Amino acid sequence: MSEYIISCCSTADLTAEHFTQRDIHYICFHFELDGKEYPDDLGQSISFEDFYSQMAKGAMTRTSQVGVGEYVEYFESFLKEGKDVLHLTLSSGISGTLNSATIARDQLKEKYPERKLYVVDSLAASSGFGLLTNKLADLRDQGMGIDELYEWVIEHRLECQHWFFVSDLSYLVRGGRVSKVAGTIGSVLNICPLMNVDYQGHLIVRSKVRGKSAVMKAQVQKMIELAENGKDYDGDCYISNSACYEDARKVADMVEETFPKLKGKVKIFSIGTTIGSHTGPGTVALFFWGNKRLD
């Protein structure tokens, strides 16, 4: 066991088993499904299949971030055991949870002045957030201390590339990310927006691609353009999806064929209930290490 804790939000969208295996701790967001509240606990309280099935049938969702009091209780459980903590939050461009975690940190500094509690804006989301957190576990296991690890993540977090598409625009319209008129026209024309997370951690529409097959190819093309060492990329690659595993598998197959030096196979995860509440079913997201995001 390390002398410090690596921690993140459940919105890193890996599995509970993966987090346990890598000794990464997490705190859960919350969501409502047709008025009933659940923790966003990686599909344990409600299966992803059931969640997305209900969304597809018209169920309404709401999400809520981790509160200050929850963060205080969570962080203190480690600090009182003499552990330092490096905690990454979901991107501040998507959620206000960074502010809550920072307030909790400042409160606990007075009570535990001898302990280190770093709170870092990941500027990442879903399994891209997970890819970043997993890299920190690698560096920890290689012997990197908490101070050096904090400096590393600040320097390198924008090198985590996120490229994703949605095949049902209605959820982006509902969330205000796409206008109703544009959503209607886009649906008629079978438009699948190709989006990414920018350097400020916001979700940005980068291009409007017609057809799912074409947007999958566009995703992989972005990886060719931006991945470390191009087609010689030898790092990890994660994909997350919302109730469309077959689409995710197609993208993974394309990636594995295009990048023969990958570190193992592409790992496919489910988009969790917090992110999925806003993107809806039919989303495929591709994550890899590459050029630093500059816009």
Side-chain angles (χ1 to χ4, degrees):
M1 296 289 289
S2 65
E3 296 181 356
Y4 61 89
I5 299 297
I6 293 177
S7 170
C8 63
C9 309
S10 60
T11 48
D13 287 353
L14 303 184
T15 64
E17 293 78 14
H18 188 103
F19 283 129
T20 298
Q21 182 182 30
R22 297 311 317 274
D23 191 21
I24 298 169
H25 297 259
Y26 61 92
I27 187 169
C28 295
F29 270 54
H30 313 275
F31 72 96
E32 291 182 9
L33 185 65
D34 272 349
K36 184 177 180 180
E37 186 172 334
Y38 299 86
D40 176 9
D41 57 3
L42 312 176
Q44 296 177 84
S45 294
I46 179 172
S47 71
F48 295 126
E49 181 180 10
D50 189 15
F51 173 75
Y52 287 115
S53 174
Q54 291 193 50
M55 282 193 77
K57 293 174 183 175
M60 299 300 295
T61 59
R62 282 183 58 187
T63 61
S64 58
Q65 65 191 38
V66 183
V68 174
E70 292 175 287
Y71 271 123
V72 168
E73 182 178 357
Y74 173 73
F75 290 149
E76 190 167 24
S77 69
F78 305 121
L79 300 176
K80 69 183 181 183
E81 293 180 353
K83 298 280 188 178
D84 296 328
V85 179
L86 174 62
H87 178 76
L88 273 66
T89 70
L90 176 63
S91 173
S92 61
I94 297 172
S95 167
T97 195
L98 173 67
N99 185 54
S100 298
T102 301
I103 293 171
R105 177 203 64 193
D106 293 345
Q107 291 180 8
L108 289 165
K109 273 185 175 180
E110 300 177 7
K111 190 172 181 180
Y112 298 93
E114 74 286 0
R115 296 264 60 85
K116 296 175 181 176
L117 173 52
Y118 290 117
V119 172
V120 178
D121 182 355
S122 72
L123 297 173
S126 192
S127 299
F129 182 9
L131 182 65
L132 176 60
T133 306
N134 194 70
K135 178 66 173 181
L136 298 189
D138 288 341
L139 296 172
R140 174 205 61 202
D141 293 349
Q142 293 167 18
M144 189 176 285
I146 190 171
D147 298 323
E148 189 179 359
L149 195 62
Y150 169 75
E151 293 174 0
W152 188 95
V153 70
I154 294 297
E155 175 64 25
H156 295 281
R157 59 188 167 176
L158 289 176
E159 294 166 14
C160 185
Q161 288 280 341
H162 305 53
W163 290 91
F164 63 100
F165 69 84
V166 296
S167 52
D168 186 340
L169 296 176
S170 64
Y171 300 97
L172 295 181
V173 171
R174 184 189 299 177
R177 299 189 184 279
V178 172
S179 71
K180 190 171 182 179
V181 171
T184 300
I185 295 173
S187 296
V188 171
L189 296 177
N190 193 26
I191 297 296
C192 296
L194 181 63
M195 309 175 73
N196 84 330
V197 175
D198 72 3
Y199 75 108
Q200 294 179 317
H202 298 109
L203 303 183
I204 302 292
V205 176
R206 294 299 186 180
S207 60
K208 299 172 183 177
V209 184
R210 192 167 184 177
K212 192 183 292 184
S213 178
V215 78
M216 289 178 179
K217 292 177 183 177
Q219 262 186 318
V220 177
Q221 181 60 39
K222 284 298 181 183
M223 188 168 175
I224 294 171
E225 295 171 7
L226 298 170
E228 290 177 344
N229 303 316
K231 290 187 178 180
D232 288 329
Y233 178 70
D234 60 0
D236 288 316
C237 179
Y238 289 177
I239 289 176
S240 61
N241 76 101
S242 53
C244 53
Y245 179 85
E246 290 184 4
D247 290 341
R249 185 66 257 171
K250 288 178 183 177
V251 176
D253 289 344
M254 293 167 64
V255 169
E256 289 171 1
E257 182 179 353
T258 306
F259 300 88
K261 297 182 180 179
L262 277 179
K263 184 180 176 182
K265 296 292 186 179
V266 174
K267 293 182 174 65
I268 301 178
F269 300 95
S270 290
I271 294 176
T273 49
T274 295
I275 304 298
S277 290
H278 301 284
T279 63
T283 299
V284 176
L286 173 65
F287 310 101
F288 56 90
W289 291 98
N291 297 344
K292 184 170 286 188
R293 289 175 264 150
L294 298 177
D295 63 356

